[in-house]
Each structure stands twice: as C-alpha cells, then as structure tokens.
Amino acid sequence: MSKKIASARINTESSELLKELNNSLPFDRELYREDIRGSRAHARMLMKQGIISPEDFQLIDEGLQKVLEEIESGVFGLDGDDEDIHMAVERRLTELVGDAGKRLHTARSRNDQVAVDFRMYVLRHNLSIAELLKDLIASFLQVAKEHSDTLLPGMTHLQHAQPTNFGYHMMAYASMFKRDYERFVDSAERNNLSPLGCAALAGTPHPVDRRQTAEELGFREPTLNCLDTVSDRDFALEILFNIATLMMHISRLSEELILWSTSEFGFVKLSDKHATGSSIMPQKKNPDIPELLRGKTGRAYGNLMSLLTVMKGLPLAYNKDTQEDKEGVFDSVRTAELSLRVLREMIDEMTVNVEAMEAACMKGHLTATDLADWLVKEKGLPFRDAYHIVGNVVNRAEELGKDLSELSAEELAQVDERIGEAEGLLDNRLSMNARRSEGGTATERTLEQIEKMEKWLSSVSS
Ligand code: ARG
C-alpha cells in the first residue's frame, strides 16, 4: 500500500466514508488555475532565494505547465482519490518530473496555499461581476434615455402616488447597480493582499520573499500577520454579502417586471425569448426568467449565512471547518454572473408600453399633492388645511367617476371656490416636470442624472 502523500503518521488506508466527508477535490477542482499559478510563483521565488536549484525550478515550472495542459485537455480528469486540488496537482507533478516535484512544498503549507488560491479566485470574480454590472448599467441608461418623458405612475405601498417618468424609474435601478459595482471593486481593492509565504500559521524559517510572490501574482503586497491570514475568510464573506445585496436588487426589479407584464399592468412585454408556456393552459406566457432571478436570491442569502455560521466559533488559526467556505462562494458567483447576463438581455429586449403607462397615470389622482402645494404657494393656506380641502376634491372626483386631473374649473370651484383656477395645473406631465428639485423626477432632472451616470460610467471604463 502506498503511503498517503500528505501523511507521515497515518498508515492505514482512510475509510471510504472519511474520504467522502473529507475530500474537497470534487469541488475545489474549480481552483486548478489559481493553484498552478500560485505554485509556479512559489517555485520561482524558492529558486531566486536559493532554496531550490535552478534545475529543480525548471523541472517544476515545466511540469506545472504540463499539468495545466493535461487538466484543460481532459487528460488529467481531477476525478481521482486525491484529497484536494493541491494534493492532486502535486501528485501529478511528481509523477511527471520525479523528485523535483517533492521540493515544491518547501516553505509552504496547504493553509497558505488554499488561502492564496481562493483569494485569487474571489478577486478575479469581484472584477468579472463588476464588468457585467457596467454592461447592465449601460442598458439601463439606454432605456432611461428613450423614456425620460414617458409618464409612469410612481407608487408607494404599491398604490398610485405621484406622476414620474419611466426613465427616472430605470435610473433608480442604475443607481443601485452602481453602488453594487462600487462594493465589488472596493472589496477587490481592500483584499488585494497575498497570503503566500505564511505557511501553516507562523511563517517559515526559510528565507522566503513574500513581496516577490505577491508581485508576480498581481497582489499589492503581502498580508501583515500570518496567523490572521491563514484563518481569515472575510474576503469570501464580502463577496457573498455583495452578491446577496446585488441579488436583492435584481429580485426587486424582477418583482416589478413580473407585475408590469401582467394584464393588469401591461407596462412592459418581455421578449418571447424570456417567457415560457404552460403545459396545460395554451394561452399562457409566463415570466419564468424574472421569477427564477427572484428565487435564486434565496440561495445567495443562504450562502452568506452559511459561511458566517461556519466561521463564528473557530479558534485561530486554520481549522478544517474552513473547507466549507468554497461551495457557497462558487455557487453565489455562478448565480450572480448568470443572473446579470440574463437580466441585461431581458432589459435590452423588453418592449415598453408607453400608452399603458400613461393611461395608468389617469387613475389614482396622482396630482393631489400638486393641488395642495398650489394652495400653499398661491393662496397662502397652511399645508394641513390644503391637505384636507384636496381630500374633499378627491372624494368629489370619485363621485363623478373622474380623475382629479379631469375636473373642470366649475367642478373644482364647487368644492372650494379658491381652487377653480387650478384647472389645467393638475396635468400629470406638468406635475412630473414640476418636481425639479435635485434628484427629482422632472425630465430635465432625469436627463441630468443620466448624464452624470454616463460620465461616471465612462470614467470607470477607460
Ligand atoms: N482542502 C483544504 C481546504 O479547502 C485545504 C487546506 C488543508 N489544510 C490542512 N491543514 N488540512 O481548506
């Protein structure tokens, strides 16, 4: 029986059940690129520091490139009995290059190895998600530009509240996704520190140069304290939180798309590409895609809660519990990237029903606040008195089966003689355009928001 590569003291073959519980290769194989990259940087540093010979480095470096090729071409399937990706790569390397391969693990532990691999994976995906967010924001800007004059009933409590425009609504989402973008970039920046060279927990007596490997791997500098570094998973928690928040935003938008595409609203029509049929009701087109995006938010929250819970009781430094950090992150990253791609396609290809949005503005007396504001500004009434008068006007409009904006001067004056002249001022578009305080819905303010966001987008895209 061959001795286990990572054990000097255990002589019996592991039980099958232990392997099933313990082996992480079935999922951490996802890290093979990072593992090989980290090992090549480590080997080069060992050579430069005189810890291994140039000949051994040459063999290791070429051997690792060969292992990478074998993995990518499927020759080395990463489906064997190895404990994890680190052991799998080292085993194959040693098969290929012999004794030199056994020198690679000098001045290194799997504790700093997994920390560097996982950090590189997380940093890479912070940035790929940020790129997808920029594309999505560009799509919102496009729709917002086309619809900065398209009236939309603005709601609170899902009840008609005040007239807004659809472009303004799109800019609200663009603003959320901009903050998401900033969170991913910020997290990548903060965590851009190299764990390599920390070894098991306390550093190493070998004369390693952590700055060299940090630089080769694209990190800003090495981490400060090795004990912290091998047990820290904040960087993973941050991406999980950022994805959970991103999915929450995607989910809120999905909810609106689902509502808007019902026959009750009819504000948008999703492309047939993004709708599915019912197996029994032949007339149906279901918004499965936004429903799935909304549903997938659950797993993103779960993955965050799960890792927070794994970490909460761990004494310093490395504990095997930490191996549970990966699957949730891989899942959240896959979910976020796919969701962003699908969402962008859906936004680009949806049809906006301008007539339905504008017609909906004729329900719900959206300009009631405007009438109260007018009484305050033009007639000097205290706001609370104006508020009560407008309440009576709305009751009258309901009796007449009309919207407030449709009442004639006479009908208004019947309720209160001071408001006859307000006729014509209660138009929805006029009302929307009157809200021109900074950040408000007026078309000119919406266009200003679009312009600022475009400037920002081009500043982060250059
Ligand atoms: N597969 C392990 C993980 O993902 C690698 C680190 C193992 N280190 C150890 N000392 N057992 O966490």
Side-chain angles (χ1 to χ4, degrees), residues 264-307:
E264 283 75 13
F265 279 81
F267 290 177
V268 300
K269 195 169 152 295
L270 299 179
S271 149
D272 280 357
K273 268 192 187 167
H274 303 119
T276 51
S278 154
S279 59
I280 174 171
M281 295 168 281
Q283 84 285 15
K284 291 205 71 180
K285 269 192 203 171
N286 295 329
D288 290 29
I289 298 300
E291 286 171 0
L292 280 166
L293 297 182
R294 189 176 59 184
K296 282 186 186 293
T297 306
R299 65 167 72 204
Y301 289 5
N303 292 334
L304 170 62
M305 199 44 68
S306 148
L307 184 56

Side-chain angles (χ1 to χ4, degrees), residues 139-154 163-174 253 256-257 260 267-269 347 350-354 357-358 361 429 432 441 443 446 450:
S139 291
F140 280 109
L141 284 168
Q142 193 55 41
V143 183
K145 271 195 208 167
E146 282 165 35
H147 294 284
S148 64
D149 189 42
T150 300
L151 286 175
L152 176 77
T164 63
N165 69 71
F166 189 57
Y168 181 64
H169 205 98
M170 293 292 97
M171 289 309 292
Y173 282 106
L253 172 63
E256 298 214 286
L257 290 171
W260 289 343
F267 290 177
V268 300
K269 195 169 152 295
I347 295 296
M350 73 182 177
T351 314
V352 177
N353 188 342
V354 175
M357 286 182 187
E358 302 214 339
C361 287
R429 184 163 273 99
M432 183 269 285
T441 191
T443 295
T446 301
I450 294 171

Side-chain angles (χ1 to χ4, degrees), residues 24 28 83-84 86 110-111 114 233 318 320 322-323 326:
S24 53
D28 67 14
E83 198 179 315
D84 55 27
H86 324 296
R110 273 186 297 162
N111 299 352
V114 72
R233 291 296 180 272
Y318 180 84
K320 196 62 175 267
T322 319
Q323 182 165 283
K326 288 173 213 51

Side-chain angles (χ1 to χ4, degrees), residues 403-414:
D403 184 70
L404 180 64
S405 58
E406 296 168 313
L407 294 182
S408 67
E410 268 161 38
E411 287 163 340
L412 287 165
Q414 274 164 16

Side-chain angles (χ1 to χ4, degrees), residues 243-244 246-255 258 287-303 331-332 335-336 339 346:
I243 289 173
L246 164 65
M247 291 304 296
M248 177 270 290
H249 289 151
I250 291 179
S251 185
R252 294 184 70 178
L253 172 63
S254 299
E255 171 68 11
I258 293 162
D288 290 29
I289 298 300
E291 286 171 0
L292 280 166
L293 297 182
R294 189 176 59 184
K296 282 186 186 293
T297 306
R299 65 167 72 204
Y301 289 5
N303 292 334
D331 180 67
S332 280
T335 301
S339 300
M346 211 161 52

